[in-house]
Coordinates of all heavy atoms in Angstrom, one line a residue:
D1 N -83.5 -28.0 12.4 CA -83.0 -26.7 12.1 C -83.7 -25.6 12.9 O -83.0 -24.6 13.4 CB -83.3 -26.3 10.6 CG -82.3 -27.0 9.7 OD1 -81.4 -27.7 10.2 OD2 -82.6 -27.0 8.5
I2 N -85.0 -25.7 13.1 CA -85.8 -24.7 13.8 C -85.4 -24.7 15.3 O -85.1 -23.7 15.9 CB -87.3 -25.0 13.7 CG1 -87.7 -24.7 12.3 CG2 -88.1 -24.1 14.7 CD1 -89.1 -25.1 11.9
R3 N -85.2 -25.9 15.9 CA -84.8 -26.1 17.3 C -83.4 -25.5 17.4 O -83.1 -24.8 18.5 CB -84.9 -27.5 17.7 CG -86.3 -28.0 17.9 CD -86.4 -29.3 18.6 NE -85.6 -29.4 19.8 CZ -85.1 -30.5 20.4 NH1 -85.3 -31.6 19.8 NH2 -84.6 -30.4 21.5
L4 N -82.5 -25.8 16.5 CA -81.1 -25.4 16.7 C -81.1 -23.8 16.6 O -80.4 -23.2 17.4 CB -80.2 -26.0 15.7 CG -78.7 -25.7 15.7 CD1 -78.2 -26.0 17.1 CD2 -78.0 -26.5 14.7
A5 N -81.8 -23.3 15.6 CA -81.8 -21.8 15.4 C -82.3 -21.1 16.8 O -81.8 -20.1 17.2 CB -82.6 -21.4 14.2
G6 N -83.3 -21.8 17.3 CA -83.9 -21.2 18.6 C -82.9 -21.3 19.7 O -82.8 -20.3 20.5
Q7 N -82.3 -22.4 19.9 CA -81.3 -22.5 21.0 C -80.1 -21.6 20.7 O -79.6 -20.9 21.7 CB -80.7 -23.9 21.0 CG -81.7 -25.0 21.5 CD -82.0 -24.9 22.9 OE1 -81.3 -24.4 23.7 NE2 -83.3 -25.4 23.2
L8 N -79.6 -21.4 19.5 CA -78.6 -20.5 19.2 C -79.0 -19.0 19.4 O -78.2 -18.2 19.9 CB -78.0 -20.7 17.8 CG -77.2 -22.0 17.6 CD1 -76.9 -22.2 16.1 CD2 -76.0 -22.0 18.4
T9 N -80.3 -18.7 19.1 CA -80.7 -17.3 19.3 C -80.7 -17.0 20.8 O -80.4 -15.9 21.2 CB -82.2 -17.2 18.7 OG1 -82.0 -17.4 17.3 CG2 -82.7 -15.8 18.9
A10 N -81.2 -18.0 21.6 CA -81.2 -17.8 23.1 C -79.8 -17.6 23.6 O -79.5 -16.7 24.4 CB -81.9 -19.0 23.8
L11 N -78.8 -18.4 23.1 CA -77.5 -18.3 23.4 C -76.9 -17.0 23.0 O -76.1 -16.3 23.7 CB -76.6 -19.5 22.8 CG -75.1 -19.4 23.1 CD1 -74.8 -19.5 24.6 CD2 -74.5 -20.6 22.3
L12 N -77.3 -16.4 21.9 CA -76.8 -15.1 21.3 C -77.3 -14.1 22.3 O -76.5 -13.1 22.6 CB -77.4 -14.9 19.9 CG -77.1 -13.6 19.4 CD1 -75.6 -13.3 19.2 CD2 -77.9 -13.5 18.0
T13 N -78.5 -14.1 22.8 CA -79.1 -13.1 23.7 C -78.2 -13.1 25.0 O -77.9 -12.0 25.4 CB -80.5 -13.4 24.0 OG1 -81.3 -13.4 22.8 CG2 -81.2 -12.4 25.0
V14 N -77.9 -14.2 25.5 CA -77.1 -14.2 26.8 C -75.7 -13.7 26.5 O -75.1 -13.1 27.3 CB -77.1 -15.7 27.4 CG1 -76.2 -15.8 28.6 CG2 -78.5 -16.1 27.8
T15 N -75.1 -14.2 25.4 CA -73.8 -13.7 25.0 C -73.7 -12.2 24.8 O -72.8 -11.6 25.3 CB -73.3 -14.5 23.7 OG1 -73.4 -15.8 23.9 CG2 -71.9 -14.1 23.3
D16 N -74.8 -11.6 24.2 CA -74.8 -10.2 24.1 C -74.8 -9.5 25.4 O -74.2 -8.5 25.7 CB -76.0 -9.8 23.2 CG -75.9 -9.9 21.8 OD1 -74.7 -10.0 21.3 OD2 -76.9 -9.9 21.0
E17 N -75.6 -10.1 26.3 CA -75.7 -9.5 27.7 C -74.4 -9.6 28.4 O -73.9 -8.6 29.1 CB -76.7 -10.3 28.5 CG -76.9 -9.9 29.9 CD -77.8 -8.7 30.1 OE1 -78.6 -8.4 29.2 OE2 -77.8 -8.1 31.2
L18 N -73.7 -10.7 28.3 CA -72.3 -10.9 28.9 C -71.3 -9.9 28.3 O -70.5 -9.4 29.0 CB -71.8 -12.4 28.8 CG -72.5 -13.4 29.7 CD1 -72.2 -14.8 29.3 CD2 -72.1 -13.1 31.2
H19 N -71.4 -9.7 27.0 CA -70.6 -8.8 26.3 C -70.8 -7.3 26.8 O -69.9 -6.6 27.1 CB -70.8 -8.8 24.8 CG -70.1 -7.8 24.0 ND1 -70.7 -6.7 23.5 CD2 -68.8 -7.6 23.7 CE1 -69.7 -5.9 22.9 NE2 -68.6 -6.5 23.1
A20 N -72.1 -7.0 26.9 CA -72.4 -5.7 27.4 C -71.8 -5.5 28.9 O -71.3 -4.4 29.2 CB -73.9 -5.4 27.5
R21 N -71.9 -6.5 29.7 CA -71.3 -6.4 31.1 C -69.8 -6.3 31.0 O -69.2 -5.5 31.7 CB -71.7 -7.7 31.9 CG -73.1 -7.7 32.2 CD -73.5 -9.0 32.8 NE -74.8 -8.9 33.3 CZ -75.2 -8.4 34.4 NH1 -74.3 -7.9 35.2 NH2 -76.5 -8.3 34.8
A22 N -69.1 -7.1 30.1 CA -67.7 -7.0 30.0 C -67.3 -5.6 29.5 O -66.3 -5.1 30.0 CB -67.2 -8.1 29.1
T23 N -68.0 -5.0 28.6 CA -67.7 -3.7 28.1 C -67.9 -2.6 29.2 O -67.1 -1.8 29.3 CB -68.6 -3.4 26.8 OG1 -68.4 -4.4 25.9 CG2 -68.3 -2.1 26.3
R24 N -69.0 -2.7 29.9 CA -69.2 -1.8 31.0 C -68.2 -1.9 32.0 O -67.7 -0.9 32.5 CB -70.6 -2.2 31.6 CG -71.6 -1.0 31.6 CD -72.9 -1.3 32.4 NE -73.2 -2.7 32.7 CZ -74.2 -3.3 32.1 NH1 -75.0 -2.8 31.2 NH2 -74.5 -4.5 32.5

């Protein structure tokens, strides 16, 4: 659970960055 939450949190950070770029 801890490992999966960590991997998903890292994926969330990159997804947010890609979203910000697409919005810009």
Side-chain angles (χ1 to χ4, degrees):
D1 284 352
I2 291 166
R3 284 188 58 201
L4 182 56
Q7 292 291 334
L8 288 173
T9 301
L11 179 59
L12 176 63
T13 300
V14 175
T15 303
D16 282 341
E17 178 84 19
L18 287 167
H19 173 255
R21 288 171 174 279
T23 302
R24 237 186 344 248

